Amino acid sequence: MIWKSDIEQMEKEPLQELQSERLRSLLKYLSESNAIYRERLAEVSDISGVDIQSIDRLPFTTKEDMRDTYPFGLFSSPEKDILELHVSSGTTGNPTLVGYTKEDLDIWADAMARSLAVAGAKPADIIQIAYGYGLFTGGLGFHYGALEMGLRIIPTSSGQTRRQLKIMQDFQPRILACTPSYALYMADEARDLGLNTRESSWEIGIFGAEPWSDSIRKEIEEVWNITALDVYGLSEIIGPGVAQECPEKNGLHVYSDLFYPEVIDPDSGEQMPDGKPGELVLTTLTKRGIPLLRYRTRDIVTINHSRCGCGRTSPRISKVLGRTDDMIVVRGINVFPSQIEHVLMEIEGTQPHYQLVVDRQKNNMDSLEVLVEVEERFFSDEIKQLRAFQETVREAIQSTLGVGVKVRLMEPRSLERSQGKSKRVVDKRQFNQKEDQ
Ligand code: DLL
């Protein structure tokens, strides 16, 4: 089922016209209602639309802009019209604050209803929403979309895993929405309870808010006997509902009539062609509360403008391949956690639970240690076999990354589990640097 098929199947030219018209009115709105944008746009003229010559001349907006102008500097509508606030916690400085007017909440509900339809939901399906409700946008975003589409909602929020499982058994929801790590966490708990996870009522899982690989998809699909699809979004743009994977599993559809996507070289700012990785930049074409122009997401993706097998014409982004900033640099070499995850998942006997610990030694050399859970049997085997397996894992990672690593094999369930986003990287170097100062 295609929700809003007039838009989702629009041909390229009329879509571009619509985007251009919306971009022009956004620029007018920003210049009229926000002092910071008024100044930034003062020198810019003759923007005809989303053609490259025009869009390339528009200024970017960054996360620092949001932090520096906290709380309301980038807001464009009067505070009295902001009906809902969401805050994402930052590790340093001010948090990121976003606000929604009535129109924005309608856009969000619409975008999320489209996401649910892309994933295969139908009105009257039962959905268990196990993303956190609250300041995090996951729970409420799904909630608004599900209401819009006429789904039947069980708003479990995250946590209380046994209760989640009982609710699934008692009410037989067809759709599960949560982070991929929580889907795995629930599987561990279900096994402890002696449940047959493959008999779950869930048929479709909509997982996002954190990076996850195709190997983790396989793992989740097998354990829960479901189709696992990726959903992408960020609070600054709207929350979940920026892009959604369809059952073709060949990229995530971006609602480009609402959020105009570009993929750029993060250093030069130049547009990247289809298929080449770069930083995703998004412009909110219709939002009123805190519309953003060319927002630098720091998420690295590729883009594909061809028509999808599902019939939609919207551009598709790949899964998030990394971040321009969570990339870790170890002894001068760029390392993405996803690369390591990929290697681990290829090795028989490792589990999809791992953590990377980066530290700086006394001699100022960086060290990278990979902690990975392995199957129980390794710990009952002889120590010699454990060592040999450790060496196999180490060599595999090292040859992919081209940088020396240490590997620590962990017993099943020994790494901290997350009910929300999991923390894959512990970078201790910053603490060392601070102590040095
Ligand atoms: O995570 C919104 C969301 C909620 C998306 C529920 C999907 C489902 P923030 O907390 O602002 O918003 O975090 C946004 O999370 O810039 C990405 O780096 C990362 N992220 C979000 N979805 C994905 C995904 C929500 N599917 C930041 N794959 C983004 C990889 C993701 N990373």
Side-chain angles (χ1 to χ4, degrees):
M1 166 186 181
I2 298 190
W3 197 257
K4 295 269 164 91
S5 58
D6 50 335
I7 294 268
E8 300 242 31
Q9 294 183 307
M10 212 176 214
E11 294 302 330
K12 205 170 163 188
E13 273 186 17
L15 178 61
Q16 259 188 13
E17 264 170 46
L18 178 70
Q19 291 164 330
S20 295
E21 189 188 306
R22 288 182 171 177
L23 179 67
R24 289 191 302 268
S25 70
L26 171 71
L27 295 174
K28 184 163 174 287
Y29 176 63
L30 288 174
S31 302
E32 282 167 5
S33 41
N34 182 278
I36 293 165
Y37 275 122
R38 185 175 315 124
E39 197 186 312
R40 288 189 184 178
L41 291 170
E43 307 282 291
V44 183
S45 56
D46 299 329
I47 297 295
S48 50
V50 295
D51 53 288
I52 288 195
Q53 293 78 357
S54 292
I55 209 140
D56 262 353
R57 287 187 288 122
L58 293 173
F60 290 116
T61 309
T62 62
K63 186 135 190 147
E64 286 73 41
D65 290 330
M66 298 197 69
R67 294 229 166 104
D68 295 348
T69 60
Y70 179 87
F72 296 116
L74 279 179
F75 279 61
S76 291
S77 52
E79 271 179 59
K80 70 169 178 45
D81 292 340
I82 302 291
L83 302 189
E84 188 167 319
L85 287 178
H86 283 265
V87 179
S88 68
S89 55
T91 41
T92 51
N94 287 327
T96 309
L97 171 74
V98 291
Y100 301 73
T101 62
K102 177 71 180 86
E103 292 100 312
D104 297 337
L105 290 170
D106 291 343
I107 293 166
W108 199 11
D110 178 49
M112 271 312 301
R114 282 160 75 175
S115 265
L116 290 162
V118 171
K122 312 181 291 312
D125 275 348
I126 303 179
I127 183 170
Q128 181 166 353
I129 303 179
Y131 283 107
Y133 279 65
L135 291 176
F136 174 56
T137 51
L140 281 165
F142 269 83
H143 195 95
Y144 294 141
L147 277 179
E148 175 78 14
M149 193 185 205
L151 299 192
R152 291 183 286 159
I153 303 170
I154 314 181
T156 49
S157 193
S158 62
Q160 305 218 40
T161 308
R162 288 185 180 205
R163 195 169 72 174
Q164 301 268 4
L165 295 169
K166 175 149 176 50
I167 281 174
M168 181 266 282
Q169 290 175 308
D170 292 352
F171 303 107
Q172 301 280 298
R174 179 170 177 251
I175 302 164
L176 169 67
C178 65
T179 58
S181 34
Y182 194 47
L184 288 172
Y185 182 104
M186 285 200 283
D188 283 346
E189 189 88 19
R191 284 195 207 99
D192 279 357
L193 292 171
L195 302 182
N196 181 350
T197 50
R198 289 192 55 83
E199 284 174 359
S200 84
S201 67
W202 299 318
E203 290 172 23
I204 300 171
I206 310 181
F207 305 120
E210 64 182 6
W212 56 303
S213 59
D214 276 329
S215 331
I216 289 198
R217 183 207 307 269
K218 235 171 80 199
E219 185 95 20
I220 296 178
E221 291 195 326
E222 265 171 37
V223 64
W224 287 117
N225 193 17
I226 56 176
T227 300
L229 300 170
D230 198 354
V231 56
Y232 169 84
L234 61 165
S235 321
E236 297 93 307
I237 296 302
I238 195 94
V242 173
Q244 171 70 49
E245 190 174 39
C246 70
E248 301 274 321
K249 296 182 181 161
N250 196 6
L252 284 70
H253 291 273
V254 183
Y255 313 118
S256 65
D257 53 305
L258 303 175
F259 314 114
Y260 184 76
E262 302 167 63
V263 174
I264 63 160
D265 178 325
D267 298 321
S268 68
E270 267 171 44
Q271 306 277 339
M272 303 299 283
D274 276 24
K276 290 269 184 274
E279 181 179 350
L280 178 66
V281 170
L282 292 162
T283 297
T284 61
L285 292 174
T286 51
K287 267 173 68 181
R288 309 303 281 178
I290 173 166
L292 296 177
L293 192 58
R294 303 192 84 200
Y295 184 70
R296 308 270 308 237
T297 65
R298 303 184 186 180
D299 290 316
I300 298 171
V301 299
T302 61
I303 197 161
N304 175 356
H305 284 88
S306 68
R307 182 189 287 266
C308 177
C310 75
R312 292 180 178 82
T313 47
S314 40
R316 280 165 289 157
I317 53 169
S318 63
K319 273 182 159 301
V320 172
L321 306 171
R323 300 255 314 157
T324 56
D325 57 359
D326 99 352
M327 177 180 84
I328 37 182
V329 183
V330 182
R331 275 171 264 148
I333 295 184
N334 296 349
V335 175
F336 286 105
S338 55
Q339 287 176 294
I340 295 180
E341 182 178 293
H342 189 74
V343 176
L344 292 175
M345 294 301 112
E346 294 286 294
I347 302 174
E348 170 83 32
T350 57
Q351 308 269 311
H353 300 291
Y354 67 95
Q355 198 165 52
L356 315 181
V357 181
V358 194
D359 207 348
R360 183 151 292 168
Q361 308 296 307
K362 288 221 170 60
N363 61 5
N364 265 328
M365 285 279 279
D366 292 335
S367 64
L368 172 61
E369 187 174 28
V370 179
L371 279 54
V372 59
E373 286 185 13
V374 294
E375 286 169 9
E376 187 76 52
R377 64 184 159 97
F378 288 101
F379 290 91
S380 41
D381 280 354
E382 279 180 47
I383 196 105
K384 232 167 60 193
Q385 276 160 333
L386 189 71
R387 288 257 165 78
F389 186 65
Q390 188 168 18
E391 189 51 23
T392 309
V393 178
R394 200 188 61 76
E395 270 176 12
I397 298 176
Q398 195 152 312
S399 72
T400 301
L401 300 181
V403 66
V405 292
K406 279 209 292 198
V407 166
R408 199 177 340 153
L409 303 183
M410 309 286 288
E411 291 192 43
R413 320 276 295 269
S414 56
L415 288 173
E416 197 188 325
R417 295 292 195 268
S418 159
Q419 299 182 356
K421 300 188 191 219
S422 57
K423 187 165 169 54
R424 299 290 195 197
V425 180
V426 178
D427 196 335
K428 296 184 169 167
R429 290 175 300 185
Q430 284 139 4
F431 304 136
N432 292 350
Q433 278 157 9
K434 267 189 207 134
E435 276 159 20
D436 289 341
Q437 278 163 10

